[in-house]
Amino acid sequence: MTLTRLLPATLLLAATALPALAGDEDTAAICAEAETRYVDIFGKPSAEVEDATVVLMYKYNFCPAQITVPVGTTVRWVNVDKRTSHSVLVKDSGQPESDRAFPEESIEFTFLTPGDQDYLCGPHWETQNMIGMVTVTP
Ligand SMILES: [Cu+2]
């Protein structure tokens, strides 16, 4: 392979690495904002919820996008957006996609099978990469 053929590939790699780093920072900022929204709406931090593990849905992100919970845990996805609705589809659960959760509504799913379980938002996974994962420990 000649240098002229290698060079564009190298530039392409460099160009794709930069937005990924910027994306991480954006995600952290978005998730911090999401938590502020949650406290404004529900009056306490999402971590203080006792009957479920809360994941926020905000600006096409699941916050946090990856969680680890013991088997039997109910995850509650809460929409803290102002206008957008979201859904949750736990891909290997055999369950259909949830109904849409509109702002301030939530979706719940109890994880009964150990392992990594991918899930996605039906309307946004393809265009906005709105996907998440729950690692369920035995
Ligand atoms: Cu969504």
Side-chain angles (χ1 to χ4, degrees):
M1 194 178 282
T2 65
L3 183 62
T4 49
R5 290 186 68 186
L6 273 171
L7 199 56
T10 308
L11 287 173
L12 188 66
L13 279 174
T16 52
L18 289 172
L21 288 171
D24 288 346
E25 288 171 22
D26 289 349
T27 301
I30 286 168
C31 288
E33 202 174 296
E35 179 61 22
T36 301
R37 295 266 313 147
Y38 183 92
V39 173
D40 285 350
I41 296 164
F42 297 100
K44 64 176 185 178
S46 63
E48 287 182 15
V49 172
E50 288 176 357
D51 59 340
T53 296
V54 172
V55 173
L56 305 179
M57 302 187 285
Y58 188 57
K59 294 187 175 176
Y60 311 115
N61 285 268
F62 291 111
C63 296
Q66 200 281 327
I67 59 171
T68 299
V69 299
V71 70
T73 299
T74 297
V75 175
R76 180 180 302 149
W77 290 272
V78 182
N79 185 351
V80 293
D81 260 310
K82 290 179 179 170
R83 293 172 194 84
T84 311
S85 64
H86 301 284
S87 74
V88 170
L89 171 61
V90 182
K91 293 198 298 186
D92 296 330
S93 68
Q95 300 293 313
E97 181 182 347
S98 73
D99 288 339
R100 299 287 187 95
F102 287 85
E104 305 188 18
E105 293 181 343
S106 61
I107 296 159
E108 290 190 2
F109 184 85
T110 302
F111 287 86
L112 299 175
T113 312
D116 290 344
Q117 302 193 46
D118 294 317
Y119 66 88
L120 51 81
C121 170
H124 304 124
W125 71 273
E126 219 166 1
T127 54
Q128 307 283 347
N129 200 36
M130 189 170 176
I131 58 174
M133 188 178 76
V134 177
T135 298
V136 183
T137 56

